[in-house]
Amino acid sequence: MRTIRCKNYEEMSRRAADVIAAQLILDPKTVLGLATGTTPVGCYQRLIELNREGAIDFSEVSTYNLDEYRGLTHDDPQSYHYFMADQLFNHVNIKAANTHVPDGSNPDAASACAEYDHMVENAGYVDLQLLGIGNNGHIGFNEPCSDFPVGTHCVDLTESTIRANSRLFEREEDVPRQAYTMGVGTIMKARRVLVLASGEAKADAVRAMCYGPVEPGCPASALRLHPDCIVIADEAALSKCPEGL
């Protein structure tokens, strides 16, 4: 695990976009794993700028998102389908058919998860997986639990995750209580993993990921076993890690 320390969110976003841009230049047919939430928004904005400038091309790129709320239709403004279209896909030259998000509108969890696993496997898995990290150490919607989930599955969201995500809803009661998410095993099959973290609220989780035991109580800790994982974090998120990091 390699760590890049940044001064602030803006620098973190630029550095992350640089890594992704380099990947697209080296391999125009890259399979990208993407994340939602507020953390990657600055990175996506920079990728949009680079695409408009002609520095990077999404025309042959395919994407697979980590997760989706169970029970939301694709056009629901709170869905991750909608988020990705609004924050990235509608602003770059990517083909809609090449973008993939778990089907939260499918009430059959087993079917929805198996279908998504099949899609990711057929794509040859992800070349570069972008991740955030939750306050409790979750990646995707893989919450702290007794083991590391392997494939896509339906998860009950913890109260801490519901509270953290409620900032994006009118009321906390509106936050869905379940989601479909790639498993840790699928994430670990990505050839490179890029983890973004910003803000003091993430400091405990970042320290646990980088220095705590590798155990499912902190799902992100599994990334220490990945052969090519880069953490890009600002000073606030790294405030509980050694200064030399």
Side-chain angles (χ1 to χ4, degrees):
M1 181 178 281
R2 181 162 65 93
T3 303
I4 300 174
R5 182 183 287 266
C6 301
K7 290 182 180 179
N8 50 39
Y9 177 83
E10 290 72 23
E11 183 184 355
M12 179 205 73
S13 299
R14 288 195 304 272
R15 297 290 292 270
D18 287 346
V19 173
I20 295 172
Q23 173 68 34
L24 300 192
I25 292 168
L26 288 170
D27 181 4
K29 295 184 178 181
T30 289
V31 179
L32 279 180
L34 298 179
T36 53
T38 54
T39 301
V41 168
C43 173
Y44 292 155
Q45 290 173 348
R46 178 57 182 154
L47 291 174
I48 291 167
E49 292 172 5
L50 291 171
N51 181 244
R52 288 175 176 170
E53 292 167 3
I56 57 173
D57 178 21
F58 282 86
S59 64
E60 296 184 277
V61 171
S62 58
T63 66
Y64 291 84
N65 263 74
L66 287 164
D67 42 32
E68 176 61 284
Y69 287 118
R70 185 183 189 188
L72 298 190
T73 58
H74 299 179
D75 59 353
D76 189 305
Q78 300 295 351
S79 74
Y80 288 161
H81 278 83
Y82 189 99
F83 176 96
M84 290 306 307
D86 184 57
Q87 295 295 330
L88 181 63
F89 298 154
N90 288 348
H91 309 287
V92 297
N93 65 325
I94 194 167
K95 297 179 179 70
N98 289 349
T99 65
H100 308 85
V101 182
D103 186 5
S105 67
N106 184 350
D108 184 337
S111 171
C113 294
E115 179 184 14
Y116 203 62
D117 276 340
H118 183 67
M119 292 167 61
V120 176
E121 182 179 4
N122 279 354
Y125 295 100
V126 168
D127 292 310
L128 190 158
Q129 176 66 61
L130 181 67
L131 297 173
I133 181 171
N135 294 356
N136 62 0
H138 74 243
I139 49 175
F141 271 131
N142 292 285
E143 300 281 16
C145 59
S146 59
D147 53 28
F148 290 114
V150 177
T152 303
H153 58 289
C154 182
V155 62
D156 295 324
L157 304 183
T158 64
E159 286 304 315
S160 65
T161 297
I162 291 167
R163 284 195 301 273
N165 289 3
S166 66
R167 69 191 185 283
L168 304 174
F169 292 77
E170 275 192 32
R171 305 171 303 166
E172 186 173 311
E173 306 89 82
D174 297 333
V175 183
R177 268 44 186 176
Q178 292 184 314
Y180 299 147
T181 184
M182 276 188 194
V184 174
T186 305
I187 292 170
M188 292 290 285
K189 288 183 179 179
R191 283 167 274 286
R192 169 173 281 188
V193 175
L194 183 61
V195 186
L196 307 186
S198 176
E200 189 175 354
K202 301 294 176 73
D204 285 328
V206 170
R207 181 176 178 82
M209 172 178 63
C210 296
Y211 290 98
V214 175
E215 51 93 17
C218 176
S221 66
L223 299 173
R224 294 227 301 283
L225 304 179
H226 194 280
D228 190 0
C229 179
I230 303 171
V231 178
I232 303 182
D234 61 19
E235 291 180 351
L238 290 170
S239 60
K240 296 189 179 181
C241 294
E243 282 294 325
L245 190 63

